[in-house]
Amino acid sequence: MAEITPTRDGRAELVSRFPHDGSEVGRVPVATPADVDRAAERAAAAMDEPGWRDLLPHERARILRAIGDAIEADAARLADLQTLDCGKPITEARALVASAAGTFRFFAAVCETQAGALPPARGPYLALTHHVPVGVVAAITPWNSPIASEAQKIAPALAAGCAVLLKPSEETPLVAREVARLAAEAGLPDGLLTVLPGDGTVGEAVVDHPAVRRVSFTGGTATGRRIAERCAPRFVGVSLELGGKGPAIVFPDARRTQAVAGAVYGAFGGAGQACVASSRLLVHRSIVDEFTEQVVDAARRLPVGDPRRPETRVGPLISDAHRAKVLAYVERAVADGAVVHCGGGPPADPDLAAGPYVAPTVLSGLPPDHPACTEEIFGPVVTVLPFEDEDDAVRLANATAYGLSATVWTGDTPLALRLSRRIRAGTTWVNTTKQLSVASPFGGEGDSGIGREKGLAGVRQYQSERSLYLGLDDAPLPFAGLEVS
Ligand code: NDP
């Protein structure tokens, strides 16, 4: 979590605080409008420098690989910093740092192997397509998994040949700056990656800058919608990875131990602050009571606490304000008759009183259209709803505006395949959950946004595809025979 404070020279700083106890972790200067202008102009100029513009793909790939290696070499420090900045349990933070290094290496490989195309010719010419960088990219990243989200945007944008203006979340401004420093040390030319921290105005200034030709945003749906509206008049392309309200659907033939563990991990990993959280548990009516009891029993035993401890599985939320939002959902659910099976408020442990903790919470007894069942709470809160059969499961799964991810627990593979087609979700997991590979496209449908990140085509959103027709010697054109003097 972070707050803004003025400095003596009249500028402002973001002060990052460790969510666990509010202690200061570090400070970064807030970017001014003039900083945004300067960075955007430098970015546009850097993209046009022959040293970058004409760099051959394998040479650009070498820089990306070097950034990945630098992240890996500094992994322990980056993971500690990530945990302090956002409160992520250290085991998860280490995995995110490793994934960031892997993301740079993956896009290095993509960069080296990307090919144009030779569409079938329909006339006396040779037709080619090739790709050019779309322009300066504005990347706006969230606070829940900063280094992974940042790598996911920076690496493909650089692989495409673009320059990046990175606006990290005001809650977690520290790691992005470290990644930019490592990238510079790894040989990334000046101006190609600038981090612009801020709170309240910098995001808009970056998106609105005329040099920016592509925006990649991960965050809340309301903000994503505003960004899309701002970009539309200039036809600036957007990729929006927004919220989710993922269902985990449990059939009676699911392997029970795996499904219970998956339901608990899906709902409470990252303290539920994950767009791909399974925050709705849809359980077949024949097993719902027993399954809920098993989930509640496991949730009560989850180690909640100081995220620096390796045994911690559920850390603090990002801020007091966010906890208030999460608890408001729980309070409303209780007022509307929800059964609270566990949690429902801060944990009893007095050592956790200084941080914005919420105990893993399981609710049932709500109608499917209750806000706790349809809106993204983004905290360790899961609602349980029973379903009758396959059609009912699909109806409930699709009963929100979101469409990011879904999980199905069943021993019936054809059923799982049918559901993966019928449920609105950019990603479906069957008998596993929250597994994400940089090689697989990721993104949502409906209010979960548009566009796909990652995957072999992850670079393409940062490029413009161009067609080239190469006339063959003396091939006649329709106006052949016209006298040319
Ligand atoms: P938001 O998702 O609303 O996004 C805040 C970021 O967007 C900041 O960097 C901000 O920059 C920038 N921004 C805000 N308005 C604009 C604009 N008009 N144009 C350009 N940039 C803009 O963040 P919150 O942290 O408030 O999260 C709200 C909710 O979103 C959460 O409660 C959660 O439900 C969801 N969320 C989803 C995530 C996901 O992974 N999909 C991740 C994080 C949150 P500036 O401060 O300079 O305005």
Side-chain angles (χ1 to χ4, degrees), residues 155-384:
L158 293 178
C162 296
V164 181
L165 303 178
L166 175 62
K167 159 65 179 72
S169 168
E170 65 283 2
E171 300 284 9
T172 51
L174 299 183
V175 169
R177 203 176 46 162
E178 293 306 303
V179 170
R181 191 178 57 74
L182 291 173
E185 285 171 12
L188 186 70
D190 244 22
L192 289 166
L193 173 60
T194 307
V195 178
L196 295 159
D199 186 8
T201 56
V202 177
E204 267 186 22
V206 170
V207 163
D208 287 350
H209 197 282
V212 166
R213 295 308 307 160
R214 179 88 198 178
V215 175
S216 178
F217 170 76
T218 300
T221 298
T223 307
R225 192 167 280 122
R226 283 203 303 277
I227 290 175
E229 284 165 2
R230 296 189 85 83
C231 289
R234 288 190 294 129
F235 305 114
V236 167
V238 290
S239 147
L240 305 169
E241 307 294 347
L242 309 177
K245 189 72 179 175
I249 305 170
V250 188
F251 285 87
D253 63 355
R255 270 171 51 209
R256 188 62 64 88
T257 323
Q258 194 197 20
V260 170
V264 171
Y265 172 58
F268 304 126
Q273 303 169 113
C275 52
V276 291
S278 296
S279 50
R280 292 182 295 149
L281 202 45
L282 311 181
V283 189
H284 191 269
R285 190 175 289 284
S286 64
I287 57 163
V288 67
D289 291 340
E290 188 190 329
F291 192 84
T292 306
E293 232 172 77
Q294 289 176 304
V295 167
V296 168
D297 177 56
R300 284 206 178 105
R301 287 183 286 114
L302 278 175
V304 179
D306 188 336
R308 290 169 297 190
R309 293 159 57 150
E311 63 273 24
T312 293
R313 292 293 170 267
V314 179
L317 299 189
I318 188 68
S319 65
D320 292 335
H322 188 58
R323 176 168 68 173
K325 181 189 146 190
V326 170
L327 291 181
Y329 274 103
V330 177
E331 279 155 25
R332 177 161 176 197
V334 171
D336 293 340
V339 178
V340 182
H341 295 267
C342 60
D349 184 349
D351 288 349
L352 307 183
Y357 286 90
V358 171
T361 298
V362 179
L363 304 175
S364 72
L366 291 167
D369 61 352
H370 190 278
C373 300
T374 59
E375 295 175 17
E376 185 177 50
I377 299 177
F378 225 59
V381 179
V382 66
T383 55
V384 184

